[in-house]
Amino acid sequence: MSVGTTWAGSHTYAARELRRPTSLAELAELVAAEPHLRALGSRHSFTDLADSPGVLVDVTGLPGEVEVDASRRVARVPAGLRYGDLATTLHQAGWALAALASLPHISVAGAVATGTHGSGDAVGSLAAAVAAVELVDGRGEHVRLARGDSDFPGAVVALGALGIVTALELDVEPTYDVRQVVLEGLTWDALLDRTDEVTAAAYSVSVFTRWTGEQVGQVWLKERGEPRVLDGTRPAAGQRHMIAGMAVENTTPQLGAPGPWHERLPHFRMGFTPSAGEELQSEFFVPRARLAEALAAVREIGAELEPELLVSEVRTIAGDDLWLSGAYGGDAAALHFTWERRPLQVLPLLDRLERVLLPLGARPHWGKVFRAHADVVTPRYPRMGDFIDLAGRFDPDGRLRNEWTAQTLGL
Ligand SMILES: Cc1cc2nc3c(=O)[nH]c(=O)nc-3n(C[C@H](O)[C@H](O)[C@H](O)COP(=O)(O)OP(=O)(O)OC[C@H]3O[C@@H](n4cnc5c(N)ncnc54)[C@H](O)[C@@H]3O)c2cc1C
């Protein structure tokens, strides 16, 4: 029976079977028996990244609960849990995470594996919160890697290439409230002139735009204190969706009302459709210091992108030391594109976009759609050679490799 498609319907998995082991022993046996397999999370990446010529493994049947170690300020979390369910459990116990992505529907292991991020000048990606990773590697062996271990920075954003992750330890902090405000009226002149001021306007800032015209679009502020209003902007008079015509009920509460962190940091509500649904997404990380330059460069080609573009989002991410992270080695900014689900029209636009952004040092988001192959991608990661060595040690028979890893990493 077909394994089905990605969440967006953008790829039909070619794997022959989906297996859901219910114990670590069963998982280890499966890994030892199958010449080709990969982990599948909640299917929110857009390509054949998670696919396998053999078997896909769903880890949601493995035993395990969320366990908080208050003295170490970490939570041990089953890998297949969705952030929305994890966040509710943590909040009820008085704890919080520093960051969440735009949607709570994604699995923890799948999000971490691709370097998924939210926004904030001082806020790291979701992977930056990982304190330890537990996995069954390509040899069928249980391995735990923790911060401080020499291989650890290569084992967090690992694209499913080292093993099937069974649990993660995440940094937690006491629970906190967030107020969300949407600002309107920001002009392109002001954004390009005062880029740093805009991204620093709140704990987490997302700028939504369609690139054309004098007005930028919406600026979503998520603030742990009192939100500020940027000069030349005004708070929106009602609840907003960033995509024209989509239901505002799908978005988390705005209008400045305080509420728990997990009900404000994501843009979309659990139990409701995030984003548009039938879509493609692309995203490129650039060094934070080159954000204004990148914005101006994309704006130059904005009219060409517009027919296929639903919306773009600009965010910032604090730098980290995770070898395959988009923010490896320094603070980053991410330029995101939500496209119509029309690959024939979108792929040439990606070629155009990459011609503009790659010279600025851009790294593509692993979970989204991009055109660059290993020859262009791998030199952008100074520790890529170490990652390839690590994958060779953890998966010597190449059970966890697929067409995507060959094309993108040369693995
Ligand atoms: C509507 C929407 C909004 C999004 N918003 C954001 C956003 O705000 N920020 C952002 O950065 N990204 C965003 N993304 C992208 C998304 O976060 C990533 O694609 C992420 O990888 C999805 O997690 P998943 O569990 O669905 O992973 P999948 O797509 O199922 O798998 C992705 C990768 O993770 C690996 N993997 C999954 N589980 C395991 C495991 N147990 N062990 C080892 N490897 C594993 C897979 O093998 C694969 O390589 C969004 C996507 C959608 C559809």
Side-chain angles (χ1 to χ4, degrees):
M1 199 173 69
S2 158
V3 174
T5 71
T6 53
W7 169 83
S10 49
H11 172 74
T12 300
Y13 296 106
R16 98 174 171 262
E17 201 185 342
L18 181 64
R19 297 283 295 273
R20 190 168 176 268
T22 54
S23 70
L24 288 180
E26 191 189 337
L27 172 60
E29 276 171 32
L30 181 64
V31 173
E34 287 295 334
H36 295 289
L37 78 173
R38 268 173 83 77
L40 182 63
S42 56
R43 305 173 180 239
H44 285 86
S45 52
F46 287 84
T47 65
D48 58 346
L49 162 68
D51 214 343
S52 167
V55 167
L56 291 183
V57 183
D58 170 353
V59 294
T60 58
L62 296 177
E65 301 285 320
V66 177
E67 297 160 29
V68 178
D69 181 338
S71 61
R72 289 174 54 228
R73 289 208 169 190
V74 295
R76 184 170 177 277
V77 173
L81 200 61
R82 291 169 185 254
Y83 271 98
D85 298 322
L86 167 63
T88 306
T89 305
L90 286 178
H91 175 66
Q92 282 166 358
W95 298 100
L97 302 170
L100 287 171
S102 71
L103 76 175
H105 311 61
I106 48 179
S107 82
V108 175
V112 164
T114 59
T116 291
H117 61 94
S119 190
D121 282 0
V123 181
S125 76
L126 306 193
V130 175
V133 188
E134 295 171 36
L135 54 88
V136 172
D137 72 10
R139 300 161 298 186
E141 290 176 16
H142 300 269
V143 183
R144 179 178 182 274
L145 291 145
R147 228 180 243 144
D149 295 342
S150 59
D151 290 335
F152 173 79
V156 181
V157 181
L159 303 167
L162 304 187
I164 312 290
V165 175
T166 56
L168 295 121
E169 286 178 20
L170 305 180
D171 296 334
V172 293
E173 59 184 286
T175 191
Y176 56 87
D177 272 359
V178 170
R179 293 167 195 264
Q180 179 166 230
V181 172
V182 174
L183 301 178
E184 294 173 334
L186 184 70
T187 63
W188 269 103
D189 285 347
L191 176 60
L192 294 176
D193 242 29
R194 299 189 276 132
T195 311
D196 291 348
E197 189 192 328
V198 173
T199 66
Y203 177 72
S204 170
V205 175
S206 287
V207 176
F208 289 97
T209 187
R210 287 174 48 77
W211 301 104
T212 53
E214 295 310 310
Q215 296 281 312
V216 170
Q218 301 170 359
V219 182
W220 291 34
L221 304 183
K222 299 167 194 280
E223 181 53 60
R224 293 172 69 156
E226 274 301 319
R228 298 193 290 127
V229 174
L230 281 162
D231 283 351
T233 68
R234 56 186 182 279
Q239 182 78 12
R240 295 285 187 260
H241 196 292
M242 69 291 285
I243 300 176
M246 299 301 297
V248 295
E249 290 74 28
N250 298 352
T251 57
T252 49
Q254 303 160 4
L255 302 167
W261 58 282
H262 62 295
E263 295 177 4
R264 301 290 184 281
L265 289 183
H267 304 325
F268 303 108
R269 294 165 67 192
M270 196 76 169
F272 292 77
T273 302
S275 196
E278 287 191 5
E279 65 195 55
L280 298 174
Q281 295 187 9
S282 306
E283 190 166 26
F284 299 91
F285 299 89
V286 294
R288 176 75 186 74
R290 304 196 77 168
L291 175 57
E293 207 182 333
L295 290 173
V298 177
R299 193 165 178 243
E300 288 275 309
I301 60 165
E304 293 171 54
L305 308 180
E306 199 173 30
E308 301 302 324
L309 186 71
L310 292 168
V311 77
S312 266
E313 180 177 9
V314 180
R315 292 178 277 187
T316 52
I317 306 104
D320 59 50
D321 67 349
L322 304 172
W323 300 348
L324 297 198
S325 165
Y328 174 84
D331 294 344
L335 283 71
H336 162 92
F337 303 80
T338 304
W339 310 104
E340 298 281 0
R341 203 184 66 195
R342 290 197 285 252
L344 285 181
Q345 284 88 333
V346 170
L347 294 181
L349 298 182
L350 281 175
D351 290 330
R352 183 80 177 99
L353 200 50
E354 290 183 14
R355 275 202 297 279
V356 166
L357 290 177
L358 291 175
L360 300 179
R363 296 168 175 164
H365 189 307
W366 301 118
K368 303 187 181 182
V369 188
F370 54 92
R371 299 285 274 172
H373 288 186
D375 57 329
V376 173
V377 172
T378 56
R380 288 159 196 271
Y381 295 85
R383 302 295 300 269
M384 182 61 82
D386 295 315
F387 180 77
I388 302 288
D389 289 349
L390 189 62
R393 276 191 280 131
F394 276 60
D395 179 29
D397 300 327
R399 289 164 196 260
L400 298 160
R401 299 175 192 179
N402 67 3
E403 279 180 28
W404 187 97
T405 60
Q407 179 170 292
T408 312
L409 308 176
L411 187 66

